[in-house]
Amino acid sequence: MIRSNMNSSIRKAGPEDIDAIVQITKENNHFWTPAVDGVQGLSRLMERDSNILLVAEDPEGDILGFIIGAWDGARAMLTKLSVRPGIQKQGIGTMLVNGAVEELKGMGAPTVGVLAADGTRPDEEENDSTGFWSKVGFEYIPARLMIKFDIQEEKA
């Protein structure tokens, strides 16, 4: 799948894109868990057919942003969207979201949700992305994401 406008195109990511994806994640201060956000996590993600990882690239092939999503057979979820700082608010994120929704629809997903930062975590008020998600057609529902970190490191 390739979609484009005059300045960028969207395609499925490949292993050659992982370093750029990690770099964008770090540039946006979204690199929280190396086992998830790092090279190994992205490599595992790409191995599973129910996951999607799309990148936006410029005409020279530089990665501008990416989106990650998954479909479990009942629910589709977008889990991460990140666009390079300095080129945000130029339609790249919207193009990635539209491409991901289309991809998930093609897999058979009846709906798609998003894990959206709402800025309520201490010291992260500037990370409220709910306005963007509303703008691209997502509806707010009251929910709270909770996570248990480092489950691989727990002892029985």
Side-chain angles (χ1 to χ4, degrees), residues 7 14 18 33-35 45-47 50 55 67 70 75-76 81-82 88-89 96 101-102 108 145 150:
N7 299 320
I18 289 176
T33 309
L45 185 143
M46 287 182 180
E47 292 172 0
S50 60
V55 293
I67 192 165
R75 291 173 185 83
L81 169 66
S82 198
Q88 296 170 350
K89 298 185 180 182
L96 282 162
V101 168
E102 197 171 305
L145 172 66
D150 300 323

Side-chain angles (χ1 to χ4, degrees), residues 33 148-154:
T33 309
K148 186 171 187 173
F149 288 101
D150 300 323
I151 62 171
Q152 293 295 327
E153 296 177 17
E154 289 184 5

Side-chain angles (χ1 to χ4, degrees), residues 4-149:
S4 64
N5 64 22
M6 292 176 55
N7 299 320
S8 59
S9 61
I10 295 182
R11 62 172 172 77
K12 288 185 180 182
E16 69 280 4
D17 301 314
I18 289 176
D19 289 339
I21 292 167
V22 169
Q23 183 60 37
I24 292 168
T25 303
K26 289 179 177 180
E27 289 172 2
N28 284 316
N29 296 316
H30 295 159
F31 191 89
W32 296 301
T33 309
V36 174
D37 299 318
V39 173
Q40 292 173 338
L42 292 168
S43 295
R44 285 190 310 272
L45 185 143
M46 287 182 180
E47 292 172 0
R48 290 171 175 75
D49 291 337
S50 60
N51 295 330
I52 61 166
L53 176 50
L54 304 178
V55 293
E57 65 182 355
D58 68 13
E60 290 79 39
D62 293 326
I63 303 301
L64 307 173
F66 68 91
I67 192 165
I68 297 172
W71 182 49
D72 66 7
R75 291 173 185 83
M77 189 66 61
L78 299 175
T79 58
K80 186 169 269 196
L81 169 66
S82 198
V83 174
R84 284 197 185 279
I87 58 168
Q88 296 170 350
K89 298 185 180 182
Q90 295 181 22
I92 296 166
T94 300
M95 196 165 70
L96 282 162
V97 170
N98 291 339
V101 168
E102 197 171 305
E103 190 79 12
L104 291 163
K105 181 180 175 182
M107 294 168 74
T111 63
V112 62
V114 63
L115 299 176
D118 64 1
T120 58
R121 188 172 175 172
D123 300 322
E124 292 193 5
E125 294 81 12
E126 74 280 354
N127 285 333
D128 184 353
S129 65
T130 57
F132 168 79
W133 290 105
S134 292
K135 184 180 88 174
V136 295
F138 286 75
E139 295 179 40
Y140 177 79
I141 60 170
R144 177 68 67 178
L145 172 66
M146 298 176 74
I147 190 166
K148 186 171 187 173
F149 288 101

